[in-house]
Amino acid sequence: MSELNKSLGMFGLIAMGAAGVLGTSWIYTNGEFFAAYGAGGEIFGLILGAVLAACVASAYAELASRYPRAGGEIVYAFVAFGRPTAFVAGWLLIGAYVSSLAFYVAAAGGLLTRLFPSIETGAVYALAGETIYAPVLIVGAVLAITVYAINRAGLRLGGGVQILLFVAMMLIGLGLTIAGFGHGQLENFWPAYAPDSAPVADTLRFVLPAMTFLTGFSLVGMLAEDARLSARRIGIAVVTTVLLAGVFYVVVLTASAWVIPWQRTATLEQGTIDAYRIAGFPFLAWGAYTIALLGLLTSFIALFVASSRVMLALARAGIFPRVFARIDAKRDTPDTALLFTLVLVLALGWLGEAALTWFLDTGGIYIGLAWLLAVASLYRIRTQEPDAVAPYRVRWIFLPVIGALAATAIIIATLLPGTGMSLLWPHEYMILLAWLALGAIIYWLAPRAMTHEDALRALVGTTTTREDSSETRQVNSR
């Protein structure tokens, strides 16, 4: 069984994970969140959300160290529960990743219209109340094809590009932080809630959206086979990713609430971008806009790679067409999976931002279910193999349960009407049911050419390294 080229080092793997977490819209929509929850509601809610996401990430860290293979949740679910559950995990992830990628295709042109309003010319058609313009479609298509070409060349190139973009994002964030805290004052931030608000309730209300901000940490496990690291360090990278992204969110948003009164930012159309412009830092306002652009690019690169690895893992398990398990002998990349991801993303991307929001919203349910399956897989595997030594092991085993409860809350809040995170009736409920039904049909039609043992061997592989074996011997000798 061919394996992927191990081209990602520790920083590259963290950059893939953390940059995949840091999205694009948070930097300019924080004005809306400040208005709804207060600066304290968003920032303290983010802190609590990051803690809960880290609880889930602890399960992923141990699982990724046990099974450092492409596919993440698919591998874990197959080992713990078998073929049907593994397919469910993979199908959920495909739905979440492809929906996000297609949304970025549509959003890329939309983001540029903030700079070049003239792009919105040449109307092609209207869908979901939105007019679709030819230049916006072209921008999104160019982005998708470029990312496909980078990833097809191998993660050595893709990882290098991701590192450069991630470092640029961190440096701009540092500039925003220094200027925000240096120029601003505590009185701009405190009191952090509106006088007539309920601080505890507003903070708790933002926890669920905050956790959706931090969903990308599982990409580290998905790309574990691409990493030239010991299994234990892969586990460490998972936890580092979610903590690093959480700190970045909190620090930059707090600085934006510090530089001018957050109540003023709550009235601004572009949140942090306008806040720094009003504070007298037009260059940093452009920096905040650049973070939005970089966040779109880094998320696109990471999710594009991850989507292809999901398809690769499903094909290895014999529950997806075998052609998706093909790895190019020269580049060590899953060419068929990458090309199919491009086709799906371009096809959906032409729907436009308004229609794709329906698909994007259902992705929250897919990710929440994937979290639940991963946590359940950890406990099942520990029960099945109580004496097995994990290169990275969760010390406080109750932590993943806390994270799983939070994931359950996301799912319930999304499915129930009137929660503020509810799916839109009827479009989003129909998309959810259609995607689940399509998955059931594909699984039913999938050939069962491989035995369970052969599929397990193909998924798990033989990835133990000398360093892993050495660490295991050291643990066993203690």
Side-chain angles (χ1 to χ4, degrees), residues 204-235:
L204 293 177
R205 282 172 56 216
F206 193 75
V207 169
L208 295 182
M211 291 189 69
T212 64
F213 279 22
L214 296 155
T215 56
F217 61 81
S218 61
L219 297 178
V220 175
M222 192 67 64
L223 303 178
E225 190 176 328
D226 295 277
R228 58 175 187 274
L229 299 171
S230 71
R232 183 174 182 276
R233 295 184 72 198
I234 291 173

Tab-separated table of all heavy atoms in Angstrom, residues 204-235:
chain	number	residue	atom	x	y	z
A	204	LEU	N	-22.144	32.777	27.869
A	204	LEU	CA	-22.501	31.389	27.557
A	204	LEU	C	-23.139	31.274	26.180
A	204	LEU	O	-22.941	30.279	25.474
A	204	LEU	CB	-23.447	30.840	28.624
A	204	LEU	CG	-22.836	30.674	30.028
A	204	LEU	CD1	-23.905	30.186	31.003
A	204	LEU	CD2	-21.648	29.712	30.000
A	205	ARG	N	-23.887	32.289	25.777
A	205	ARG	CA	-24.510	32.261	24.454
A	205	ARG	C	-23.479	32.259	23.347
A	205	ARG	O	-23.724	31.720	22.260
A	205	ARG	CB	-25.441	33.471	24.282
A	205	ARG	CG	-26.795	33.343	24.989
A	205	ARG	CD	-27.552	34.661	24.924
A	205	ARG	NE	-27.730	35.132	23.565
A	205	ARG	CZ	-27.699	36.407	23.202
A	205	ARG	NH1	-27.472	37.350	24.115
A	205	ARG	NH2	-27.886	36.749	21.942
A	206	PHE	N	-22.313	32.847	23.604
A	206	PHE	CA	-21.296	32.904	22.551
A	206	PHE	C	-20.397	31.673	22.545
A	206	PHE	O	-19.617	31.502	21.611
A	206	PHE	CB	-20.425	34.165	22.687
A	206	PHE	CG	-19.581	34.407	21.462
A	206	PHE	CD1	-20.164	34.906	20.300
A	206	PHE	CD2	-18.233	34.100	21.455
A	206	PHE	CE1	-19.399	35.094	19.157
A	206	PHE	CE2	-17.459	34.300	20.315
A	206	PHE	CZ	-18.049	34.804	19.161
A	207	VAL	N	-20.485	30.815	23.537
A	207	VAL	CA	-19.607	29.646	23.592
A	207	VAL	C	-19.801	28.752	22.370
A	207	VAL	O	-18.826	28.259	21.778
A	207	VAL	CB	-19.836	28.849	24.888
A	207	VAL	CG1	-19.138	27.494	24.822
A	207	VAL	CG2	-19.310	29.638	26.077
A	208	LEU	N	-21.054	28.517	21.982
A	208	LEU	CA	-21.306	27.639	20.835
A	208	LEU	C	-20.735	28.216	19.536
A	208	LEU	O	-20.024	27.509	18.815
A	208	LEU	CB	-22.794	27.345	20.714
A	208	LEU	CG	-23.413	26.556	21.868
A	208	LEU	CD1	-24.888	26.301	21.602
A	208	LEU	CD2	-22.681	25.239	22.084
A	209	PRO	N	-21.004	29.489	19.200
A	209	PRO	CA	-20.331	30.046	18.022
A	209	PRO	C	-18.809	30.015	18.152
A	209	PRO	O	-18.107	29.784	17.166
A	209	PRO	CB	-20.841	31.494	17.966
A	209	PRO	CG	-22.131	31.471	18.694
A	209	PRO	CD	-21.982	30.438	19.766
A	210	ALA	N	-18.303	30.227	19.357
A	210	ALA	CA	-16.850	30.218	19.561
A	210	ALA	C	-16.251	28.866	19.217
A	210	ALA	O	-15.171	28.780	18.616
A	210	ALA	CB	-16.526	30.583	21.019
A	211	MET	N	-16.940	27.786	19.590
A	211	MET	CA	-16.413	26.455	19.291
A	211	MET	C	-16.401	26.189	17.791
A	211	MET	O	-15.529	25.466	17.286
A	211	MET	CB	-17.213	25.388	20.031
A	211	MET	CG	-17.003	25.430	21.547
A	211	MET	SD	-17.726	24.019	22.383
A	211	MET	CE	-16.661	22.700	21.819
A	212	THR	N	-17.364	26.769	17.064
A	212	THR	CA	-17.325	26.606	15.612
A	212	THR	C	-16.150	27.375	15.005
A	212	THR	O	-15.683	27.022	13.921
A	212	THR	CB	-18.639	27.084	14.965
A	212	THR	OG1	-18.806	28.492	15.185
A	212	THR	CG2	-19.836	26.357	15.563
A	213	PHE	N	-15.667	28.426	15.698
A	213	PHE	CA	-14.475	29.136	15.245
A	213	PHE	C	-13.253	28.219	15.283
A	213	PHE	O	-12.285	28.442	14.566
A	213	PHE	CB	-14.180	30.335	16.167
A	213	PHE	CG	-14.998	31.567	15.881
A	213	PHE	CD1	-16.211	31.498	15.217
A	213	PHE	CD2	-14.554	32.807	16.298
A	213	PHE	CE1	-16.963	32.630	14.968
A	213	PHE	CE2	-15.295	33.952	16.061
A	213	PHE	CZ	-16.506	33.863	15.389
A	214	LEU	N	-13.278	27.207	16.153
A	214	LEU	CA	-12.075	26.432	16.472
A	214	LEU	C	-12.139	24.997	15.958
A	214	LEU	O	-11.449	24.119	16.467
A	214	LEU	CB	-11.875	26.424	17.998
A	214	LEU	CG	-11.601	27.804	18.604
A	214	LEU	CD1	-12.006	27.853	20.063
A	214	LEU	CD2	-10.124	28.153	18.464
A	215	THR	N	-12.928	24.756	14.933
A	215	THR	CA	-13.149	23.376	14.503
A	215	THR	C	-11.994	22.767	13.716
A	215	THR	O	-11.967	21.562	13.523
A	215	THR	CB	-14.417	23.287	13.637
A	215	THR	OG1	-14.295	24.200	12.537
A	215	THR	CG2	-15.654	23.625	14.445
A	216	GLY	N	-11.058	23.548	13.236
A	216	GLY	CA	-10.064	23.011	12.314
A	216	GLY	C	-8.935	22.204	12.912
A	216	GLY	O	-8.091	21.686	12.178
A	217	PHE	N	-8.893	22.064	14.251
A	217	PHE	CA	-7.743	21.368	14.844
A	217	PHE	C	-7.650	19.904	14.415
A	217	PHE	O	-6.576	19.307	14.427
A	217	PHE	CB	-7.784	21.454	16.373
A	217	PHE	CG	-8.993	20.815	16.997
A	217	PHE	CD1	-9.052	19.451	17.202
A	217	PHE	CD2	-10.082	21.579	17.383
A	217	PHE	CE1	-10.165	18.860	17.777
A	217	PHE	CE2	-11.196	21.002	17.954
A	217	PHE	CZ	-11.238	19.627	18.151
A	218	SER	N	-8.778	19.289	14.034
A	218	SER	CA	-8.757	17.884	13.627
A	218	SER	C	-7.975	17.673	12.340
A	218	SER	O	-7.650	16.539	11.978
A	218	SER	CB	-10.187	17.359	13.453
A	218	SER	OG	-10.870	18.073	12.445
A	219	LEU	N	-7.662	18.765	11.624
A	219	LEU	CA	-6.870	18.644	10.404
A	219	LEU	C	-5.492	18.071	10.683
A	219	LEU	O	-4.897	17.434	9.823
A	219	LEU	CB	-6.724	20.018	9.733
A	219	LEU	CG	-8.006	20.694	9.243
A	219	LEU	CD1	-7.691	22.053	8.648
A	219	LEU	CD2	-8.721	19.826	8.237
A	220	VAL	N	-4.976	18.284	11.889
A	220	VAL	CA	-3.659	17.747	12.230
A	220	VAL	C	-3.674	16.228	12.153
A	220	VAL	O	-2.781	15.602	11.569
A	220	VAL	CB	-3.217	18.218	13.629
A	220	VAL	CG1	-1.904	17.557	14.026
A	220	VAL	CG2	-3.067	19.740	13.649
A	221	GLY	N	-4.693	15.606	12.758
A	221	GLY	CA	-4.807	14.159	12.667
A	221	GLY	C	-5.051	13.689	11.251
A	221	GLY	O	-4.554	12.641	10.835
A	222	MET	N	-5.819	14.467	10.483
A	222	MET	CA	-6.103	14.115	9.095
A	222	MET	C	-4.824	14.075	8.263
A	222	MET	O	-4.695	13.274	7.327
A	222	MET	CB	-7.078	15.142	8.518
A	222	MET	CG	-7.693	14.781	7.181
A	222	MET	SD	-8.787	13.366	7.279
A	222	MET	CE	-10.076	14.008	8.355
A	223	LEU	N	-3.851	14.932	8.596
A	223	LEU	CA	-2.611	15.043	7.825
A	223	LEU	C	-1.441	14.343	8.503
A	223	LEU	O	-0.288	14.560	8.136
A	223	LEU	CB	-2.269	16.522	7.624
A	223	LEU	CG	-3.343	17.383	6.949
A	223	LEU	CD1	-2.884	18.820	6.854
A	223	LEU	CD2	-3.674	16.839	5.576
A	224	ALA	N	-1.723	13.482	9.484
A	224	ALA	CA	-0.650	12.857	10.252
A	224	ALA	C	0.302	12.048	9.385
A	224	ALA	O	1.517	11.992	9.647
A	224	ALA	CB	-1.247	11.959	11.343
A	225	GLU	N	-0.213	11.422	8.343
A	225	GLU	CA	0.649	10.599	7.482
A	225	GLU	C	1.608	11.446	6.664
A	225	GLU	O	2.634	10.964	6.179
A	225	GLU	CB	-0.222	9.744	6.549
A	225	GLU	CG	0.544	8.682	5.789
A	225	GLU	CD	-0.365	7.798	4.951
A	225	GLU	OE1	-1.529	7.568	5.377
A	225	GLU	OE2	0.071	7.341	3.881
A	226	ASP	N	1.278	12.730	6.501
A	226	ASP	CA	2.145	13.641	5.759
A	226	ASP	C	3.265	14.210	6.622
A	226	ASP	O	4.102	14.963	6.121
A	226	ASP	CB	1.321	14.805	5.200
A	226	ASP	CG	0.306	14.369	4.157
A	226	ASP	OD1	0.683	14.219	2.987
A	226	ASP	OD2	-0.864	14.168	4.532
A	227	ALA	N	3.269	13.908	7.914
A	227	ALA	CA	4.218	14.510	8.852
A	227	ALA	C	5.435	13.617	9.072
A	227	ALA	O	5.294	12.407	9.263
A	227	ALA	CB	3.538	14.802	10.180
A	228	ARG	N	6.602	14.214	9.079
A	228	ARG	CA	7.835	13.485	9.384
A	228	ARG	C	8.167	13.669	10.873
A	228	ARG	O	9.233	14.180	11.243
A	228	ARG	CB	8.971	13.946	8.487
A	228	ARG	CG	9.301	15.420	8.542
A	228	ARG	CD	10.535	15.773	7.708
A	228	ARG	NE	10.950	17.138	7.893
A	228	ARG	CZ	10.472	18.178	7.230
A	228	ARG	NH1	9.530	17.978	6.323
A	228	ARG	NH2	10.914	19.400	7.474
A	229	LEU	N	7.240	13.247	11.708
A	229	LEU	CA	7.347	13.440	13.144
A	229	LEU	C	7.072	12.132	13.855
A	229	LEU	O	6.413	11.239	13.321
A	229	LEU	CB	6.320	14.478	13.628
A	229	LEU	CG	6.413	15.896	13.066
A	229	LEU	CD1	5.193	16.694	13.485
A	229	LEU	CD2	7.678	16.578	13.542
A	230	SER	N	7.555	12.023	15.080
A	230	SER	CA	7.181	10.886	15.907
A	230	SER	C	5.699	10.981	16.228
A	230	SER	O	5.089	12.058	16.182
A	230	SER	CB	7.989	10.888	17.207
A	230	SER	OG	7.579	11.943	18.065
A	231	ALA	N	5.108	9.844	16.539
A	231	ALA	CA	3.678	9.814	16.845
A	231	ALA	C	3.343	10.709	18.030
A	231	ALA	O	2.300	11.374	18.053
A	231	ALA	CB	3.236	8.373	17.117
A	232	ARG	N	4.209	10.741	19.035
A	232	ARG	CA	3.945	11.562	20.220
A	232	ARG	C	3.912	13.048	19.855
A	232	ARG	O	3.054	13.798	20.332
A	232	ARG	CB	4.996	11.299	21.282
A	232	ARG	CG	4.742	12.069	22.586
A	232	ARG	CD	5.731	11.675	23.685
A	232	ARG	NE	5.434	12.386	24.914
A	232	ARG	CZ	5.869	13.627	25.185
A	232	ARG	NH1	6.609	14.272	24.302
A	232	ARG	NH2	5.550	14.204	26.330
A	233	ARG	N	4.806	13.489	18.997
A	233	ARG	CA	4.846	14.903	18.627
A	233	ARG	C	3.635	15.287	17.773
A	233	ARG	O	3.192	16.437	17.796
A	233	ARG	CB	6.151	15.212	17.890
A	233	ARG	CG	7.392	15.051	18.766
A	233	ARG	CD	8.641	15.455	18.017
A	233	ARG	NE	8.719	16.896	17.841
A	233	ARG	CZ	9.507	17.503	16.938
A	233	ARG	NH1	10.234	16.770	16.107
A	233	ARG	NH2	9.519	18.811	16.853
A	234	ILE	N	3.089	14.344	17.038
A	234	ILE	CA	1.859	14.609	16.300
A	234	ILE	C	0.725	14.891	17.287
A	234	ILE	O	-0.074	15.814	17.093
A	234	ILE	CB	1.508	13.427	15.372
A	234	ILE	CG1	2.520	13.336	14.230
A	234	ILE	CG2	0.089	13.576	14.815
A	234	ILE	CD1	2.368	12.115	13.360
A	235	GLY	N	0.653	14.096	18.352
A	235	GLY	CA	-0.349	14.347	19.383
A	235	GLY	C	-0.181	15.720	20.020
A	235	GLY	O	-1.157	16.438	20.248
